[in-house]
Amino acid sequence: MATAAVPGLTVQAAGAHTRHAQGDYDAVRLVATDGRKLIIRAPRSQAAESEQSADLVALRSLTAGIRSRLPFDLPAFVGQAPIDGTRAIVTDFVPGRHRTADELTSEMRLAESVGLAIAAIHALPTGFVADAGLPRRTAAESRDEVIALVGRAADTGRLPAALLRRWEEATDDAALWRFEPTVINGSLGAESILVDGDRVTGVLGWARLAVGDPARDLHWLLTSRGAAAERALEAYLAGREGAADEHLPRRALLYGELELARWLLHGVDTHDESVVEDAVVLLDGLVATVHDRSSEPLAAQTGPILTVGDVERLLDGTPRGHVPREAGGALLTDSYDFSDLERVGEIEQVSADATAPIPLDLSDWGDAAPGGDDEPSRGEPPAGDRPAGERRSDTA
């Protein structure tokens, strides 16, 4: 199928790629005879097909000129082929290794690279997003989306009154929502970032590329626990060259807290009481932080921009790394991740007379240890959980 998708391609070897597909894709890693490393994916569900199409539209909008402004690599579309009423997509391999949020902010130089990488995304010219027909949200529209989300969570009857009050105060504060929209990845997290040593080498998962609130890309960073987390924020602000508004960290914290509301709504929408109960426990844990005397309101305050230390006090009790990306309506789309390739240990030779696998040198293909099971999936999120403004038809 890959050779049908890419004219002239000759595949030397291939191996299954499943760790980050979460059951929504069939994915295979490829080595071409000319040395190229590629991946081909075919969606298994309508939701995965929509997400893959959105990712492809975004990647195609990121032209060579736009990519040249970024200090890291992005996947590039190579080809496609029809399969069972959908299509398989071939992309190239972006080198790098995955790290947790805490690891990304554990060392000064790497944390600085992370902050500058995010700032570079937010500094991109916005015109190409409109040219590609991707979402563009004003500050007012970003605020309205949050108001709608809080309203839906409140309607479940499971949202603690203290959090409803806290979030309503934030959305009622006009000063908090005075910002200039920027290009955003839209679903950026530690799992989106690839690194080599002390620098960011790639960013994956662009299905929610848009113009909107830059704070959406930062909540995971502000709640990381690395010793150099403050340096990451400082590098980000320096990279924005004064363009970042003073209340951006507070909105980022709000988005972080709202991930728990999204998890609650995911449980309600899918009629999964175990998810609902899990979300309620997490929300109750956040209430404890809200009532702690070290906590501060999210509504705008006079004074300088928050430091990472201030941010940690605000969300010190918020459980992190527990709410999956599905809660926000976005599938985990790092389909170009090769970090688990060493788990395979060897990949099969592709030839007519192949009788045994050919061991390959995998030292530059990822950092996962050989062996072990793939990560389990929490299940497929509802296809309609994405805000209406983010549903895109496949125009690629």
Side-chain angles (χ1 to χ4, degrees):
M1 183 169 295
T3 59
V6 185
L9 176 68
T10 302
V11 177
Q12 172 187 340
H17 176 66
T18 59
R19 184 182 182 192
H20 290 278
Q22 296 213 5
D24 291 307
Y25 298 91
D26 289 316
V28 174
R29 294 153 296 195
L30 310 168
V31 180
T33 54
D34 60 7
R36 283 184 293 170
K37 295 174 181 177
L38 307 169
I39 185 168
I40 182 169
R41 291 199 322 167
R44 291 179 174 175
S45 67
Q46 181 60 50
E49 181 178 20
S50 298
E51 194 76 6
Q52 179 168 268
S53 294
D55 196 55
L56 180 57
V57 171
L59 289 176
R60 284 178 159 174
S61 74
L62 293 159
T63 63
I66 295 297
R67 291 171 183 243
S68 69
R69 297 170 177 260
L70 298 171
F72 51 79
D73 293 329
L74 292 82
F77 171 78
V78 178
Q80 64 184 36
I83 175 176
D84 297 335
T86 182
R87 59 181 174 173
I89 303 297
V90 181
T91 59
D92 63 0
F93 162 62
V94 177
R97 303 173 184 273
H98 282 283
R99 294 290 181 260
T100 66
D102 291 353
E103 290 169 340
L104 288 173
T105 56
S106 63
E107 188 271 327
M108 293 290 285
R109 291 180 65 88
L110 178 55
E112 179 178 317
S113 181
V114 170
L116 291 175
I118 302 173
I121 296 172
H122 295 174
L124 290 174
T126 59
F128 79 94
V129 174
D131 292 342
L134 299 175
R136 292 172 57 92
R137 300 179 191 84
T138 65
E141 289 169 338
S142 297
R143 181 185 186 183
D144 288 343
E145 282 191 351
V146 171
I147 292 172
L149 175 62
V150 173
R152 286 187 61 208
D155 289 343
T156 67
R158 311 298 291 269
L159 182 65
L163 292 184
L164 176 59
R165 182 168 57 252
R166 174 178 173 83
W167 295 343
E168 286 182 338
E169 288 174 354
T171 55
D172 287 344
D173 190 341
L176 194 69
W177 301 93
R178 295 187 187 122
F179 65 88
E180 186 67 28
T182 69
V183 173
I184 58 173
N185 171 280
S187 56
L188 193 68
E191 68 279 0
S192 307
I193 295 175
L194 296 172
V195 303
D196 180 13
D198 59 5
R199 68 183 184 89
V200 173
T201 58
V203 175
L204 311 173
W206 292 87
R208 302 182 76 180
L209 176 66
V211 171
D213 189 348
R216 291 180 64 91
D217 285 345
L218 288 171
H219 72 80
W220 69 274
L221 176 63
L222 298 187
T223 56
S224 65
R225 303 292 180 160
E230 188 162 1
R231 180 55 190 149
L233 179 59
E234 292 171 351
Y236 170 81
L237 295 174
R240 293 293 309 279
E241 298 180 341
D245 68 281
E246 64 175 330
H247 301 305
L248 181 147
R250 292 188 182 275
R251 292 197 313 280
L253 292 174
L254 174 61
Y255 288 123
E257 294 184 8
L258 289 174
E259 288 300 300
L260 303 185
R262 292 181 185 275
W263 187 225
L264 171 64
L265 290 171
H266 176 58
V268 171
D269 292 344
T270 57
H271 307 287
D272 190 332
E273 191 60 29
S274 65
V275 171
V276 172
E277 293 301 326
D278 185 46
V280 168
V281 171
L282 296 174
L283 289 165
D284 287 343
L286 182 56
V287 169
T289 302
V290 171
H291 284 302
D292 187 275
R293 65 182 58 186
S294 66
S295 180
E296 302 176 36
L298 288 169
Q301 303 287 303
T302 58
I305 195 166
L306 294 181
T307 67
V308 169
D310 298 327
V311 169
E312 288 182 347
R313 285 195 301 274
L314 280 168
L315 280 184
D316 188 59
T318 303
R320 296 175 301 110
H322 192 89
V323 181
R325 294 270 290 280
E326 303 95 289
L331 296 172
L332 189 59
T333 57
D334 50 346
S335 56
Y336 315 100
D337 170 32
F338 277 73
S339 65
D340 65 329
L341 189 55
E342 291 181 4
R343 303 162 75 99
V344 178
E346 54 185 23
I347 59 180
E348 297 177 4
Q349 181 183 18
V350 178
S351 67
D353 59 351
T355 58
I358 298 178
L360 296 181
D361 178 9
L362 305 176
S363 59
D364 62 339
W365 283 55
D367 59 348
D373 297 326
D374 287 332
E375 296 176 5
S377 168
R378 276 190 181 264
E380 180 182 316
D385 199 38
R386 182 189 298 281
E390 295 189 22
R391 297 195 191 100
R392 297 187 283 274
S393 61
D394 178 20
T395 57

